[in-house]
Amino acid sequence: MADNLVRTIAKEAGVRALLAVTTGLAAEAAGRHQTAPTATAALARALTGAALLGATLKVQQRVALKFEGSGPLWKVVTEADAYGRVRGYVARPETDLPARLDGHDVAAALGAGVLTVVKDLRIKELYESSVPLLSGEIDADLTHYLSQSEQIPSLVTVGVELDESGRVAHAGGLLLQAIPPYEETHIRQLVERLAEMPPVVSLLAAGQTPGEILDNLFGEVAYTVLEERSLTFYCNCSWERTRRALLLLGREEIEEMLVSEGQAELTCHFCHHKYHFSRADLEEILNEQS
Ligand code: ZN
């Protein structure tokens, strides 16, 4: 099944539900960053979280999630836009911890720390808000963030299943969010039903479609599908953008590159693409700086 996102609303119940299938983009990110299983699980969960939050944005807006902790993984950074384009990386892709009975130990890999959410809402200032990591499981932290910082009763659940060789077999998640004016009881019923259901990723692995999962979740509650869109791993880096970043470096750093290597190779954090700068390129940058 191709990666996609289904956005629904149950108007009378005062709730919306977004369901994301992210297997392909999570597998691509893991491949690009050569992540070990625990790091793969953390990255896949955070990419799914970004895709879900990204789908709540308006055109041209962007969201970035930064999970930073004291554990061996140190950092997971993911970004998404309103068009379903998602990218991300982990600070230490080699991180691998013994799995727990209920799955990968992303919480221990992250440790205690902070979740920072930055939104580019296309107004002058970036919106930025931080909350302490509640569990380090990614979805519980996003739930906590949405309820605390944005004051919207919400529930985020994300998950990933890896195959025997540690590759992403299935990834996906769901965001349930109240829309004012909402009825407390309706929300509670849906949250309870979701808690009784197997994890979304297990249902996807069992071959259920997003439509079937949503039908199951809403039950008797009437809902409308507002939109279905594809999700992709996409990085907007380029040689030109990398060059602009080099232009912002100090002269000494460029001179140092020229002396030590005679060239430079810069790797994009988000997609691992390598950009090469020859001696002539670096000399031209120095000229432009002066
Ligand atoms: Zn890139």
Side-chain angles (χ1 to χ4, degrees), residues 235 237 268 270-271:
C235 187
C237 67
C268 173
F270 281 97
C271 70

Side-chain angles (χ1 to χ4, degrees), residues 32 87 233-238 267-273 275:
R32 283 175 180 269
R87 64 178 189 168
F233 183 94
Y234 174 82
C235 187
N236 61 355
C237 67
S238 64
T267 305
C268 173
H269 276 312
F270 281 97
C271 70
H272 234 263
H273 191 89
Y275 292 99

Side-chain angles (χ1 to χ4, degrees), residues 6 9 34 36 91 123 137-138 144 168 173 179 202 222 254 259 271:
V6 184
I9 186 166
Q34 293 289 298
I123 46 177
E137 298 285 359
I138 306 289
H144 178 61
V168 176
I179 319 166
S202 307
I254 308 283
V259 172
C271 70

Side-chain angles (χ1 to χ4, degrees), residues 75-262:
K75 199 158 70 170
V76 188
V77 181
T78 57
E79 291 186 5
D81 64 15
Y83 307 105
R85 298 183 294 201
V86 188
R87 64 178 189 168
Y89 67 93
V90 294
R92 299 200 183 108
E94 68 281 8
T95 306
D96 203 19
L97 300 177
R100 299 185 317 223
L101 277 178
D102 61 345
H104 297 278
D105 206 347
V106 172
L110 263 177
V114 177
L115 162 62
T116 305
V117 177
V118 183
K119 285 186 182 177
D120 180 355
L121 301 173
R122 292 275 156 175
I123 46 177
K124 262 188 190 149
E125 306 270 309
L126 291 176
Y127 164 92
E128 183 172 330
S129 177
S130 297
V131 289
L133 289 180
L134 197 66
S135 70
E137 298 285 359
I138 306 289
D139 47 8
D141 303 301
L142 288 170
T143 298
H144 178 61
Y145 158 77
L146 288 168
S147 307
Q148 288 294 308
S149 281
E150 301 199 5
Q151 304 271 309
I152 315 166
S154 307
L155 184 69
V156 180
T157 169
V158 295
V160 54
E161 285 187 5
L162 307 186
D163 65 17
E164 278 167 18
S165 50
R167 290 194 203 96
V168 176
H170 300 280
L174 190 134
L175 165 65
L176 199 61
Q177 198 162 54
I179 319 166
Y182 56 88
E183 284 260 2
E184 215 47 82
T185 43
H186 288 309
I187 307 290
R188 207 175 314 122
Q189 277 165 6
L190 284 169
V191 167
E192 279 167 15
R193 198 196 300 262
L194 189 60
E196 286 165 8
M197 284 165 57
V200 168
V201 71
S202 307
L203 296 171
L204 292 171
Q208 284 203 21
T209 64
E212 287 167 341
I213 298 170
L214 288 161
D215 275 346
N216 200 351
L217 169 68
F218 281 116
E220 302 291 300
V221 178
Y223 77 99
T224 315
V225 175
L226 294 176
E227 183 196 15
E228 285 187 50
R229 69 170 68 154
S230 57
L231 295 171
T232 47
F233 183 94
Y234 174 82
C235 187
N236 61 355
C237 67
S238 64
W239 191 85
E240 269 306 317
R241 274 172 193 261
T242 313
R243 187 179 190 278
R244 283 203 287 276
L246 277 174
L247 266 171
L248 296 175
L249 287 180
R251 285 190 69 83
E252 301 78 52
E253 282 177 76
I254 308 283
E255 277 162 359
E256 168 70 26
M257 287 173 186
L258 275 167
V259 172
S260 63
E261 302 284 336

